Amino acid sequence: MVFFPVLRRCELDQATLLWQQAGLLNSMLRMLAGFMGTRSLLTSDLDTSANYTAIAEAATSVADAFTPEQSSSADLLAKQAHWMRQSLEMLANMMRISASGPQGGDATVLSYADGAAEFADTFTQLLPPRDDDSSSAASSSCGGSDHCSAPTTSTTSSDSTTTVDSTDSTDSDIDIVVAALRSAASTAVLPVLNPYSPPSSGAKRLHAPSEDTNTSVWRATLGGSSGICRGSCDAEGQQQEALVLKVVPFHSPEVAARLEQEGDSFHTGSGEVAEALLKEEACHEALMAVAVAQANARYVAAAAAAVNGGASVPVAHEIYAQPQLMAVQECPLRGSSQDLGHDRQLVVGFKYFGAGNAAEYQATQLIRDVAGKEVRQPLMTRGSAATPLLAPAAVELIGEGLAREVNGMALSMYGMMGRMHELGFLINDLKLENMVYDTDVADFRFIDAEAVRRCRLGEKLPGVSKHTEYTAAPEQQLEEAEAWSDSFSDVYAGGASMREALAICLDVCGNQLGRGEVFGAVKAAFLARVGPLRDLMARCTAAEAGERPSAADVLQQLHRHRLL
């Protein structure tokens, strides 16, 4: 069983153990919200779609209300964990009811409902017993009816932001979910995002549209008086949340049918016609991110069930950033000179990771923390403020620290990659810009699951997959009839990405410290410590796939050479 670096097995005090368990339940709720939000867009029946949206909003509301804090008491964490566990049970029942139909219903949602119920049941055995089991009776007798009474929760207002004070909440778990369903926020009020005419406020275009699809990427702010709002949120001081919005134009079924029927005679404002793209295909990135999270949650739940008393439950943050917002708009390009025949566009919102590129962030932080402090507290041997020369001890400290950071980055990258392969997925387009540092969990995660595909270990996917040329394996860059990809293609991309990470660390170091004698000393100290990593990355980027190690093998080697 391969766990990536954030997973620990060790003796922990009760409060820390409960914090881990509550955190895992919270992550499952958020994953469920992302899945149901995505599923609502893929459902043609309006009533079913509305029910799916309500369930997604309820899951988000419960997760937001009971986000565990490590500093909380064991009693509070236990209560939060029980609330979230029973909320999962209730949501699973709601999913079954909403997804049931005369012809078997929505099999995908029904399967996920079973998974959520199984996940919740696992924690029934793991969590400490409750003093009052009356809520369980409420859960079994209420059945999700609107006749359940509303919970008596305490709310506090600070800077015009209303938050739930869960320390004073009742233990009526079912009521919490029902209240969340009633008061769930409406979908975000988005401006129409035209990639060729960006709005002046609320959203900023990050990437210009691609020529063949008109797909664009934006940064937006939810909440506050100056951002995109959820429902009615004009009040000053309301909490803001930064999101990356990916806008993908697509064809409705009616237009796609016309496109197939009319072919080259199909009229567009630009005279060009894009390949038919339906909503299901436009949703692929969001669907894959949710599918990976679902599979990983089940994996971790199974591992947690196998943990005996006294050991911690494994905790895993999401491997891929999950969709936070989804909406369908009329495509604003119809009839314009950029019109490619699309009549709709999908807007998917993901969390904005301000830390940006993982290697650059880690290197900059370390040098500023160590080198900046050393320069200010003058441990310099000679030199001026403009061209500082650090003491030998500081040089060694920076070189060793950079080596530790880049080794930790490789551990996270190949750990998440190995987990993906175990779960039956290929990354396909791994590169450093798609690996970010999440300051909320103090670890790395992947973004952009557009190229992710299902593929069992040992299986090869034929054809040319989406990839980036400078990190793609040789077999991915062959002609269509000869190209293929497998888990060893990901290993190659990881090696190419880590070589880039080494170069970035040195580049940041030179920018921070200058390119003189100090930089030369730090570079020598750094390279002396990453020799085993460089050798391992050379094996990962072997031209022949059969000569590369597996992700699990790379992870073992990295642990062997890890700098502690």
Side-chain angles (χ1 to χ4, degrees), residues 9 102 107 120 139 169 187 223 230 258 271 273 314 354 363 374 384 417 514 531:
R9 288 178 179 268
S139 176
S169 298
T187 56
R230 284 190 184 275
R258 280 184 49 215
V273 181
E374 300 296 348
S384 65
M417 181 193 300

Side-chain angles (χ1 to χ4, degrees), residues 234-534:
D234 298 324
E236 290 286 349
Q238 192 163 30
Q239 185 176 3
Q240 294 188 330
E241 177 186 8
L243 294 179
V244 170
L245 302 178
K246 192 163 187 179
V247 181
V248 184
F250 67 92
H251 302 96
S252 66
E254 297 77 16
V255 170
R258 280 184 49 215
L259 181 60
E260 183 178 0
Q261 182 178 14
E262 298 177 17
D264 293 340
S265 63
F266 185 89
H267 176 73
T268 67
S270 67
E272 301 290 332
V273 181
E275 292 185 10
L277 182 72
L278 294 173
K279 183 166 60 177
E280 290 78 2
E281 297 167 292
C283 283
H284 179 80
E285 179 180 348
L287 288 171
M288 282 293 101
V290 171
V292 170
Q294 169 74 5
N296 190 49
R298 289 186 174 183
Y299 180 101
V300 176
V307 174
N308 296 320
S312 68
V313 176
V315 176
H317 63 68
E318 296 155 344
I319 298 176
Y320 272 92
Q322 296 295 292
Q324 305 293 310
L325 172 154
M326 297 189 73
V328 173
Q329 300 178 331
E330 295 289 330
C331 182
L333 301 178
R334 297 186 74 182
S336 72
S337 58
Q338 291 85 28
D339 177 17
L340 295 177
H342 304 109
D343 60 325
R344 301 281 190 275
Q345 62 184 24
L346 176 72
V347 182
V348 185
F350 297 91
K351 177 181 176 180
Y352 173 73
F353 296 95
N357 181 289
E360 187 172 345
Y361 173 81
Q362 292 295 91
T364 302
Q365 289 297 109
L366 182 131
I367 293 170
R368 287 178 178 174
D369 290 348
V370 177
K373 184 185 300 181
E374 300 296 348
V375 170
R376 286 195 300 273
Q377 297 177 3
L379 294 177
M380 297 177 290
T381 55
R382 62 184 181 277
S384 65
T387 56
L389 188 61
L390 301 178
V395 168
E396 290 296 313
L397 192 61
I398 296 173
E400 180 181 339
L402 284 175
R404 184 182 295 110
E405 294 297 339
V406 78
N407 196 78
M409 190 184 310
L411 276 167
S412 284
M413 176 181 287
Y414 279 97
M416 291 189 290
M417 181 193 300
R419 175 65 61 77
M420 289 276 289
H421 293 168
E422 275 194 277
L423 298 175
F425 296 94
L426 289 187
I427 302 171
N428 263 329
D429 191 26
L430 177 59
K431 51 189 173 185
L432 212 55
E433 65 189 77
N434 284 348
M435 183 175 174
V436 295
Y437 187 77
D438 186 352
T439 54
D440 288 344
V441 299
D443 213 315
F444 303 93
R445 72 171 69 202
F446 294 142
I447 58 173
D448 193 353
E450 184 179 354
V452 171
R453 294 293 184 273
R454 297 183 184 274
C455 181
R456 292 185 293 270
L457 274 174
E459 183 182 0
K460 292 183 179 181
L461 293 184
V464 176
S465 59
K466 182 180 183 296
H467 61 265
T468 301
E469 188 171 341
Y470 71 88
T471 59
E475 62 270 14
Q476 292 178 286
Q477 302 188 54
L478 298 173
E479 295 297 326
E480 175 70 33
E482 300 177 352
W484 53 272
S485 57
D486 66 359
S487 59
F488 293 101
S489 306
D490 283 347
V491 170
Y492 183 101
S497 297
M498 288 312 304
R499 286 190 307 195
E500 183 188 5
L502 292 170
I504 287 176
C505 284
L506 289 175
D507 190 53
V508 169
C509 187
N511 293 337
Q512 294 285 322
L513 300 177
R515 302 284 175 173
E517 189 175 343
V518 172
F519 171 66
V522 170
K523 178 179 178 180
F526 172 63
L527 293 178
R529 286 168 171 77
V530 295
L533 177 62
R534 296 170 74 189

